[in-house]
């Protein structure tokens, strides 16, 4: 973690936003409208814990921008999920859905809690109370939550059930549900798969053989574990992975399927027999071709950016680099593919899930992965073309495209 963050996460994301707005010559009023969240809800979430005591948590649902369609964004359960972090993540959703051209706006939810220390019963009660407190903002054509850090398909099943108790059975109210409850096949792997599509395209662009690339992945949850699995399936050598407790490293390559099995059995990757233990900080500084941060935000900052040795950073996590780190790495010639492109696979397959729910259809895995690949490739190409045309970074290009699209639609709708 960054030891002394000078700015909030929202301020940091807005550094990237402002650079794009400056380049587009955006008027102050338009800029302010696009930067500011349209609606913010803070809720108190009391939960009876297993020991009989009541604990009171704070939660948020922030709807950043709805110009392009219903609000869409995950729900995070994490001790750092404060209002600034949730705002930042909500705004990233606005630029992400615009960049990949799916018909949603941007939102995010969060509850400040530590799910790792809570029982299933406590998490079920927390999720239900949080859902009851935000349900008046939700709707299949208003705002559709999904999983994020610390939440998963089970959390979405509880949210759907709590919403359904008030409004009747409504599978399309959340995405990332279990398949048996109307979830889409391929949603669990979608974000990691999308990240590896981007990695492959980027490697080709740099004349790097993706099959020979040495990859490091921070975070071995929903996103990181699938990214590592798919990278390994494609012949890449995954030399290190980590979770919150620490990591494991093997210069000859890790057996990723064995690591998945260890995690499924409740183990920590740090204790993996097929590698040597490594700290999360050292992992980020390993000599490798491709570094994929897939855990939490702001893990690469001014202090450690000068020591990062990867040739490419693929931002599978949201906002893993501070603006200072971004500048340092750009100056060092390290390519950075930004979060709003890399991790868009999750919201893209969420869009497919929502569509399937609305039409009561089910798609098979080939169709989901084919359509995902088409949208990711189209988005990557649009960013790459912009990089080449204007000599900007991949992040600048992605923000330029996202901002332009949201501003254009706001104008068409008569907001500005
Ligand atoms: P998750 O909870 O499933 O997994 C998170 C992983 O990160 C776990 O392995 C955890 O142990 C590890 N971790 C937590 N704190 C850490 C720390 N301080 N240092 C190192 N590792 C740590 O979450 P996820 O859904 O995989 O989300 C990971 C990132 O990807 C987040 O930034 C999230 O916003 C982003 N993201 C997720 C999705 C999705 O579909 N789940 C979509 C887009 C973006």
């Amino acid at each position: 973690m960054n030891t002394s963050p000078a700015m909030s996460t929202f301020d940091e994301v807005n550094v990237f936003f402002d650079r794009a707005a400056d380049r587009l010559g955006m008027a102050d009023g338009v800029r302010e409208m696009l930067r500011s969240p349209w609606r913010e809800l803070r809720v108190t979430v009391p939960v009876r814990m297993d020991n009989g005591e009541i604990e009171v948590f704070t939660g948020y649902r922030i709807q950043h921008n709805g110009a392009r369609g219903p609000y869409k964004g995950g729900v995070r359960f994490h001790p750092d999920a404060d209002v600034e972090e949730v705002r930042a993540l909500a705004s990233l959703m606005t630029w992400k859905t615009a960049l990949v051209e799916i018909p949603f706006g941007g939102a995010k939810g969060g509850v400040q809690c530590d799910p790792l220390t809570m029982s299933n019963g406590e998490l079920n009660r927390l999720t239900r109370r949080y859902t009851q407190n935000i349900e008046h903002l939700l709707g299949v054509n208003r705002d559709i939550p999904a999983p994020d850090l610390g939440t998963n398909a089970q959390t979405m099943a509880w949210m759907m059930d709590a919403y359904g108790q008030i409004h009747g059975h409504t599978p399309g109210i959340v995405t990332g549900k279990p398949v048996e409850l109307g979830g889409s096949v391929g949603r669990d792997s979608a974000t990691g798969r999308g990240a590896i599509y981007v990695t492959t395209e980027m490697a080709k662009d740099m004349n790097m053989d993706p099959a020979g690339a040495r990859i490091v992945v921070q975070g071995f949850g929903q996103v990181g574990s699938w990214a590592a699995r798919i990278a390994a399936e494609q012949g890449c050598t995954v030399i290190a992975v980590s979770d919150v407790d620490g990591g494991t490293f093997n210069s000859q390559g890790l057996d990723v399927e064995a690591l998945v099995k260890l995690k499924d059995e409740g183990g920590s990757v740090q204790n993996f027999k097929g590698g040597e233990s490594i700290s999360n900080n050292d992992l980020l500084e390993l000599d490798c071709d491709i570094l994929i941060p897939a855990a939490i935000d702001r893990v690469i900052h001014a202090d450690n950016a000068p020591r990062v040795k990867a040739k490419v950073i693929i931002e599978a996590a949201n906002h893993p680099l501070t603006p200072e780190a971004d500048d340092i790495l750009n100056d060092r010639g390290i390519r950075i593919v930004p979060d709003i492109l890399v991790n868009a696979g999750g919201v893209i397959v969420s869009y497919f899930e929502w569509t399937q729910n609305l039409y009561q259809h089910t798609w098979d895995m080939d169709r989901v992965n084919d359509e995902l690949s088409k949208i990711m490739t189209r988005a990557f190409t649009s960013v790459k073309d912009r990089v080449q045309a204007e000599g900007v970074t991949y992040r600048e290009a992605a923000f330029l495209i996202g901002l332009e699209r949201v501003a254009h639609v706001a104008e068409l709708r008569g907001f500005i």
Side-chain angles (χ1 to χ4, degrees), residues 193-216:
R193 189 175 299 281
I196 300 303
Y197 282 135
V198 171
T199 305
T200 310
E201 291 301 318
M202 195 66 189
K204 277 193 242 158
D205 202 40
M206 294 172 70
N207 295 322
M208 189 193 282
D209 176 10
R214 289 166 311 131
I215 299 194
V216 170

Side-chain angles (χ1 to χ4, degrees), residues 1 76-78 80 89 93 96 108 115-116 146-152 187-192 218-225 242-246 263 269 280 283 293-297 299 315-320 339 342-347 350:
M1 282 283 277
R76 174 172 288 199
F77 287 176
H78 193 272
D80 296 339
L89 295 165
M93 289 305 297
K96 189 180 306 179
K108 203 80 180 189
L116 296 178
D148 189 67
L149 191 70
T151 57
N152 54 27
R187 173 62 184 85
D188 53 354
S189 57
T191 312
Q218 184 190 44
F220 205 67
Q222 168 116 325
V223 178
S225 66
S242 68
D243 59 26
V244 65
D245 299 320
K263 265 310 249 195
V269 299
N280 262 299
L283 173 130
I296 55 166
D297 32 87
V299 292
E315 292 188 338
N318 280 310
H319 195 59
D339 45 11
V342 171
N343 68 32
V347 74
S350 277

Side-chain angles (χ1 to χ4, degrees), residues 61-343:
R61 184 71 186 170
I62 297 187
Q63 298 176 329
H64 178 261
N65 188 295
R68 296 185 63 265
Y71 300 100
K72 189 88 191 79
V75 175
R76 174 172 288 199
F77 287 176
H78 193 272
D80 296 339
D82 61 14
V83 66
E84 294 285 339
E85 181 171 279
V86 179
R87 258 183 208 141
L89 295 165
S91 72
L92 286 173
M93 289 305 297
T94 300
W95 317 127
K96 189 180 306 179
T97 51
L99 173 63
V100 298
E101 288 188 283
I102 54 173
F104 290 126
K108 203 80 180 189
V111 179
Q112 269 186 292
C113 66
D114 185 357
L116 296 178
T117 63
M118 295 173 71
S119 71
N120 242 12
E122 289 167 343
L123 287 169
N124 185 346
R125 294 191 287 280
L126 174 91
T127 304
R128 283 173 187 282
R129 182 53 66 103
Y130 170 68
T131 308
Q132 285 160 7
N133 287 354
I134 65 164
E135 61 79 22
H136 59 290
L137 294 191
L138 305 182
V140 283
N141 291 309
R142 287 181 184 279
D143 186 349
I144 307 114
D148 189 67
L149 191 70
T151 57
N152 54 27
Q154 175 61 78
T155 323
M156 293 305 108
W158 292 328
M159 283 194 86
M160 183 190 100
D161 192 63
Y163 186 87
Q165 284 182 318
I166 304 165
H167 297 276
H169 183 59
T170 318
I173 193 60
V174 288
T175 57
K177 302 176 287 292
V179 173
E180 306 88 305
L181 289 176
S184 179
V185 292
R187 173 62 184 85
D188 53 354
S189 57
T191 312
R193 189 175 299 281
I196 300 303
Y197 282 135
V198 171
T199 305
T200 310
E201 291 301 318
M202 195 66 189
K204 277 193 242 158
D205 202 40
M206 294 172 70
N207 295 322
M208 189 193 282
D209 176 10
R214 289 166 311 131
I215 299 194
V216 170
V217 183
Q218 184 190 44
F220 205 67
Q222 168 116 325
V223 178
S225 66
W226 276 106
R229 280 170 94 163
I230 296 164
E233 267 168 35
Q234 298 193 355
C236 306
T237 307
V238 178
I239 60 167
V241 303
S242 68
D243 59 26
V244 65
D245 299 320
T248 182
F249 164 67
N250 184 334
S251 61
Q252 300 305 304
L254 294 162
D255 179 346
V256 178
E257 288 305 324
L259 278 160
V260 170
K261 188 160 175 283
L262 175 71
K263 265 310 249 195
D264 287 348
E265 288 165 358
S268 169
V269 299
Q270 199 185 21
N271 303 323
F272 185 55
K273 299 271 188 296
E276 56 190 84
S277 146
I278 183 170
S279 72
N280 262 299
N281 288 343
D282 289 346
L283 173 130
L284 294 170
E285 298 172 18
L286 278 172
D287 187 11
C288 63
D289 297 306
I290 297 165
L291 172 61
I292 309 185
I296 55 166
D297 32 87
R298 303 204 270 188
V299 292
I300 305 178
H301 38 78
D303 296 342
N304 62 1
R307 295 191 298 273
V308 167
K309 296 181 193 66
K311 299 186 182 77
V312 187
I313 297 179
I314 302 286
E315 292 188 338
N318 280 310
H319 195 59
L321 271 61
T322 65
E324 282 171 311
D326 193 61
D327 290 343
I328 293 167
L329 293 163
N330 280 319
D331 287 348
R332 292 181 52 213
I334 295 173
R335 285 221 205 165
I336 301 158
V337 196
D339 45 11
I340 59 173
L341 173 61
V342 171
N343 68 32

